[in-house]
Amino acid sequence: MDVLDRRLVAALQVSPRASWGEIGRAVGEHERTVARRLQRLIAEGMVRVTAIYDDLRTGHGRPVHLHVRVRPGTAVKVAEALADRPDTRSVYALTGAADLGCELVSPSREALHRILSFEISDIDGVLQTQTQVVLHTFRTVAEWHAPYLSEEEVAELRPAPLPDCLPDEEGLSPLEQEIAELLADDGRIAFTAVAERLDISVPTARRRVTSLIERRLLLPRAEVEPALLGLEVEAMLWLKVRPYGLDLVGQRLAAHPYVRYCAATSGTHSLIVQVVAAHEADLYRFMTEVVGSHDEITDVDLTLITRAYKRGHLRKSGLLTLDHRWEKTP
């Protein structure tokens, strides 16, 4: 990707369902240029537009992060087995004590017990797992964009957020669930296509899609490997934070442009942060100047992501992202 490609992808990350004309006006490019470039990147598998659930709010389950240690020589096989599971959202190869990182969504406490006690441990090559349950999410990957846009450009693309006063586990109606599945398969699906597929009117489709997004039950997402955006270094930080400072530290770190994901968790560390940077020197400055500025942080475990096998429920092939239709192919 060249500089303009990266700016256009960043704009798509800010507003995955924006029209080519809206993106063009925000970044100062002609609509035809925007359409040609982004359609090419999508067609080549560099970018996929999808949507992910707010699992806690929709009642789909509880996100859980696993550190997985494996028998030498089995990391790829175990990673593929984890990525094959429909309940895993992300699977990474890591440096450090754990060989793999995995995020999965468990529908219940009983299901989580079964998954951890039998299903994961039965995968050939798995030696040990460490589990941390997400308690609160400060920033999802769907809310992050590459740092190539001005504040004015972002503001033009991103609508003002609605007050976050909705209860957890609001749930989806049967029609909303059908719409959500269509958006997960194609985050840019037109209202007319939604109406045709579900045999509803176009105004109803528009109203229901807009409601799902505005209520933050569904988060549209433009998925792309950070390396394609020039962000070659990707790290997972597990932080021990004094309880009184957890909310403050989480909010401040989540607002940093390097931070793709930030959540409070149970377990030995209370905060998980996913960071991307162009170079190791940038990561070093983030660690010393940003993380190091918080006295509430008492311990840091830093690991690097060396390869992604799955992100946002989408399988990976090197730097390319495979769509949901590939997963359904025998």
Side-chain angles (χ1 to χ4, degrees):
M1 294 186 189
D2 61 18
V3 173
L4 179 55
D5 283 339
R6 290 171 179 174
R7 278 176 48 76
L8 296 180
V9 170
L12 192 64
Q13 289 176 316
V14 172
S15 185
R17 289 185 57 81
S19 69
W20 305 138
E22 289 170 335
I23 291 175
R25 286 190 293 274
V27 302
E29 294 292 335
H30 196 281
E31 180 179 351
R32 286 197 298 270
T33 300
V34 174
R36 183 180 68 252
R37 284 178 174 254
L38 286 178
Q39 286 173 345
R40 174 183 61 83
L41 295 175
I42 292 172
E44 293 177 356
M46 295 186 187
V47 179
R48 292 284 181 222
V49 182
T50 181
I52 60 175
Y53 296 102
D54 183 319
D55 298 294
L56 293 176
R57 183 167 285 169
T58 58
H60 277 79
R62 294 294 188 272
V64 175
H65 291 275
L66 301 180
H67 271 170
V68 183
R69 289 184 57 236
V70 303
R71 193 170 64 245
T74 64
V76 173
K77 181 181 177 182
V78 174
E80 293 288 354
L82 290 171
D84 283 341
R85 294 179 58 91
D87 57 359
T88 57
R89 181 151 52 199
S90 302
V91 180
Y92 306 104
L94 301 173
T95 63
D99 302 291
L100 301 172
C102 171
E103 182 190 13
L104 62 83
V105 179
S106 171
S108 66
R109 184 176 61 182
E110 292 77 11
L112 180 60
H113 175 76
R114 182 184 68 253
I115 291 167
L116 297 178
S117 300
F118 304 103
E119 297 178 11
I120 301 297
S121 60
D122 282 349
I123 297 175
D124 183 36
V126 171
L127 295 179
Q128 185 180 45
T129 62
Q130 181 181 2
T131 307
Q132 302 205 166
V133 179
V134 172
L135 306 178
H136 177 77
T137 304
F138 295 99
R139 169 179 270 186
T140 70
V141 177
E143 297 169 298
W144 176 84
H145 66 272
Y148 298 130
L149 302 177
S150 68
E151 292 182 2
E152 293 75 17
E153 290 168 332
V154 172
E156 185 168 346
L157 285 164
R158 177 173 289 163
L162 296 175
D164 190 7
C165 57
L166 296 172
D168 285 346
E169 298 192 21
E170 181 176 322
L172 301 180
S173 69
L175 177 57
E176 287 176 330
Q177 182 63 48
E178 290 183 296
I179 293 173
E181 290 172 3
L182 292 178
L183 287 166
D185 193 56
D186 177 6
R188 290 183 60 81
I189 188 171
F191 298 123
T192 52
V194 173
E196 181 179 348
R197 295 279 295 274
L198 300 181
D199 194 24
I200 58 178
S201 69
V202 174
T204 297
R206 182 187 301 272
R207 184 174 64 254
R208 292 300 187 102
V209 169
T210 302
S211 174
L212 282 171
I213 295 171
E214 287 184 344
R215 289 152 62 205
R216 294 180 55 78
L217 298 178
L218 203 66
L219 305 174
R221 174 182 180 183
E223 169 57 37
V224 57
E225 281 299 291
L228 291 174
L229 299 172
L231 303 169
E232 300 281 351
V233 180
E234 191 172 4
M236 298 291 285
L237 280 65
W238 296 85
L239 309 178
K240 289 184 178 179
V241 184
R242 300 185 191 280
Y244 71 85
L246 183 58
D247 195 63
L248 175 65
V249 173
Q251 290 185 46
R252 288 183 175 175
L253 291 181
H256 195 280
Y258 285 7
V259 173
R260 281 166 48 92
Y261 175 84
C262 181
T265 68
S266 67
T268 57
H269 292 80
S270 51
L271 202 64
I272 176 175
V273 184
Q274 188 181 120
V275 178
V276 288
H279 192 272
E280 284 82 359
D282 299 314
L283 177 60
Y284 177 78
R285 282 191 293 272
F286 178 84
M287 293 294 295
T288 55
E289 298 174 10
V290 179
V291 176
S293 68
H294 294 285
D295 292 335
E296 301 90 346
I297 298 174
T298 61
D299 184 65
V300 179
D301 182 12
L302 171 64
T303 63
L304 298 182
I305 294 175
T306 58
R307 181 178 177 182
Y309 292 86
K310 191 177 189 180
R311 295 186 198 263
H313 294 291
L314 298 174
R315 295 293 297 269
K316 294 287 179 169
S317 177
L319 294 178
L320 301 183
T321 304
L322 305 176
D323 62 22
H324 287 279
R325 287 177 292 278
W326 181 90
E327 291 190 62
K328 296 171 186 174
T329 302

